Amino acid sequence: MLKIIFLLLLGGGIPVAMAMAGSALLYIWWTGTLPSYVVIHRMISGIDSFPLLAVPFFILAGNLMNNAGITNRIYNYALALVGWMKGGLGHVNVLGSVIFAGMSGTAIADAAGLGTIEIKAMTDHGYSKEFAVGVTAASATLGPIIPPSLPFVIYGMMANVSVGSLFLAGILPGVFMAFLMMLTVAYFAHKNGWGADIKFEWPRVIKALIETGAVIGWPVVLWLLIVKGGLPAQLTVFAGLVALFIADKLFKFQAALPIMTPVLLIGGMTTGIFTPTEGAIAACLWAMVLGFAWYRTLNFKSFVKVCLDTVETTSTVLFIVAAASIFGWMLTATGVTAAISEWVLGFTQNPYMFLLLANLLMLFVGCFLEPTAAITILVPILIPICQKLGIDLVHFGLVMVLNLMIGLLHPPMGMVLFVLARVAKLSVERTTVAILPWLLPLLGSLAVITYFPKLILWLPNMVFN
């Protein structure tokens, strides 16, 4: 009965969160087995969670970075590093998304923020709008895979999985996905005879490489000083930050400090300085230091707007989580999840076959539901099956999030699709066709991530075990 009510409400055009909460309430009224206040009680309990505090702070950090002129700096840095290659701006698009993913944590922020700059630049340099939109859409999926990631926070809370492990598990797959996308760009450049978009100039490339070396070398040097040299951790990190700001001033780096966001976040979590939730607060403080004090691109008026946008987005996300809490609880209480689990296990007990079926299901669901809603609905159903089949929940979380990100690129509910159609001033139909060739690297990445879990779990296992 609960399933039927939910599907009827959803089919009637009711928003997903309202359909979940409403179906639970109507079921309770219909059966009379529980008092109706249980709905409110379970919804409040669902968001009364310390890990969920990371949600508003990660959203705020991404909004601050997006409104502080950071996107232009990232674009210029990526242009200096790979713009001289054949199909240069396509490579810039992918590399820029890799960097921005380390700050925003969402695909929509990537598409709306960097996408606006990248699509205009590519069309001005003679690329077709369809190609510009396709590569922008594909690279936007990196946002929630490379840490920090809002969907990972939601999944970690729902599945009772370490958010830090999920963040670390997303690094190598994100790099692999970016590599496949750049190969795809190189193929189109070779096929269409595209050349470079800027001239190769050693001074510009060397400066970009020095900037890259600073980002990579900074945490390595600190680790050697603290672990091998025995220096006090807090004082050494503070001195390292001062040295980083001095280097930024001397060499006039484009994006070294913004790129340090995921480095500081992952470093702080793996060394135990702060939890993922506290890391979200640290990311906000870092963004405010850059925006207000260092680059001076933020002012009080823009900060108020950023905060209001964050409140609006956060309330939407947390209402979905709250509604999913009562709905998931009712699914379990009425035996729906157990029945689905028994049916699936009766059909197959092969983990690889289950992962194939789960991928098909999640790709389908992702075309209709927003990722947060999809995660909150699917986790109570699929996680018990994963536990019985011995599938690692960190690995499965990565598989789920990537499936749902691919779903964002397709009608009828793909938000990235609609954002890019609006940015590029293309019809939804032309935007959909433009994205189709980019499904090949995305689905190829999904296949590798699904069936080679040891490669995915190597980094979190090395750090936390």
Side-chain angles (χ1 to χ4, degrees):
M1 176 65 74
L2 179 66
K3 307 187 295 293
I4 295 173
I5 296 174
F6 172 69
L7 292 174
L8 287 174
L9 291 177
L10 200 62
I14 304 295
V16 177
M18 298 295 293
M20 288 190 289
S23 60
L25 181 61
L26 290 173
Y27 179 82
I28 288 174
W29 280 348
W30 182 272
T31 59
T33 54
L34 292 169
S36 55
Y37 69 79
V38 168
V39 174
I40 300 299
H41 175 73
R42 292 298 307 183
M43 288 179 72
I44 294 173
S45 298
I47 57 175
D48 184 16
S49 168
F50 179 72
L52 278 181
L53 278 175
V55 171
F57 287 109
F58 276 132
I59 293 173
L60 177 59
N63 287 342
L64 286 170
M65 290 288 188
N66 218 352
N67 285 270
I70 304 297
T71 48
N72 287 309
R73 290 181 168 273
I74 293 171
Y75 174 78
N76 291 331
Y77 164 75
L79 186 65
L81 199 61
V82 296
W84 50 270
M85 300 168 65
K86 289 186 176 181
L89 286 186
H91 295 297
V92 169
N93 197 316
V94 176
L95 182 60
S97 292
V98 170
I99 298 168
F100 195 69
M103 293 175 285
S104 69
T106 63
I108 295 172
D110 189 305
L114 271 177
T116 304
I117 300 171
E118 292 164 339
I119 290 174
K120 183 179 185 305
M122 292 182 73
T123 52
D124 288 347
H125 278 77
Y127 292 91
S128 68
K129 268 191 180 180
E130 283 78 4
F131 178 76
V133 166
V135 68
T136 303
S139 63
T141 60
L142 295 169
I145 303 299
I146 297 174
S149 167
L150 204 57
F152 279 164
V153 174
I154 303 295
Y155 174 86
M157 189 275 298
M158 295 291 298
N160 195 26
V161 174
S162 165
V163 175
S165 295
L166 287 166
F167 281 3
L168 285 173
I171 295 175
L172 292 180
V175 172
F176 177 70
M177 289 172 64
F179 175 72
L180 287 187
M181 290 175 197
M182 293 183 81
L183 281 181
T184 307
V185 171
Y187 165 76
F188 280 113
H190 177 76
K191 177 183 176 183
N192 297 317
W194 295 333
D197 292 302
I198 61 171
K199 290 177 63 178
F200 181 87
E201 296 178 356
W202 274 115
R204 179 165 46 195
V205 175
I206 289 174
K207 183 181 177 182
L209 290 175
I210 291 173
E211 194 165 350
T212 306
V215 173
I216 297 172
W218 187 82
V220 174
V221 171
L222 287 187
W223 180 81
L224 290 172
L225 291 174
I226 295 170
V227 177
K228 302 296 183 181
L231 296 179
Q234 292 183 345
L235 185 61
T236 305
V237 171
F238 178 76
L241 287 173
V242 172
L244 188 65
F245 278 101
I246 292 173
D248 185 77
K249 196 74 172 178
L250 289 175
F251 293 100
K252 296 181 180 179
F253 290 149
Q254 283 287 346
L257 295 179
I259 296 172
M260 290 303 298
T261 306
V263 176
L264 294 170
L265 189 65
I266 297 297
M269 288 191 300
T270 53
T271 55
I273 295 176
F274 45 68
T275 65
T277 303
E278 294 162 346
I281 300 172
C284 288
L285 293 175
W286 182 250
M288 291 174 69
V289 167
L290 296 183
F292 282 110
W294 194 248
Y295 298 136
R296 297 182 181 179
T297 49
L298 280 176
N299 53 45
F300 182 74
K301 183 178 179 181
S302 60
F303 180 69
V304 170
K305 181 181 182 300
V306 165
C307 290
L308 291 175
D309 290 342
T310 301
V311 169
E312 181 181 349
T313 306
T314 302
S315 60
T316 303
V317 172
L318 292 186
F319 182 68
I320 293 172
V321 173
S325 178
I326 178 62
F327 186 71
W329 182 74
M330 291 297 297
L331 285 176
T332 304
T334 55
V336 174
T337 55
I340 293 174
S341 177
E342 290 177 7
W343 180 82
V344 172
L345 293 173
F347 178 76
T348 179
Q349 293 199 5
N350 186 318
Y352 296 104
M353 179 58 69
F354 167 72
L355 285 171
L356 175 62
L357 296 175
N359 275 331
L360 294 175
L361 171 65
M362 291 184 288
L363 283 171
F364 176 77
V365 169
C367 292
F368 294 91
L369 297 181
E370 191 269 338
T372 301
I375 289 170
T376 53
I377 291 173
L378 292 173
V379 163
I381 296 172
L382 298 179
I383 292 303
I385 305 174
C386 292
Q387 291 171 328
K388 290 181 180 179
L389 295 178
I391 297 171
D392 188 276
L393 298 188
V394 172
H395 169 233
F396 189 73
L398 193 62
V399 172
M400 176 177 285
V401 170
L402 180 53
N403 272 291
L404 299 178
M405 291 310 104
I406 295 173
L408 283 175
L409 308 183
H410 287 285
M413 300 295 289
M415 288 303 298
V416 169
L417 173 75
F418 293 119
V419 167
L420 290 178
R422 186 175 71 249
V423 168
K425 296 180 173 60
L426 281 177
S427 66
V428 173
E429 293 78 14
R430 285 180 65 189
T431 306
T432 304
V433 172
I435 291 172
L436 288 178
W438 294 92
L439 289 180
L440 187 61
L442 288 173
L443 293 176
S445 301
L446 178 61
V448 172
I449 291 170
T450 300
Y451 291 110
F452 294 93
K454 289 185 179 180
L455 297 176
I456 310 306
L457 300 174
W458 172 75
L459 192 55
N461 287 341
M462 181 183 69
V463 172
F464 291 114
N465 293 337

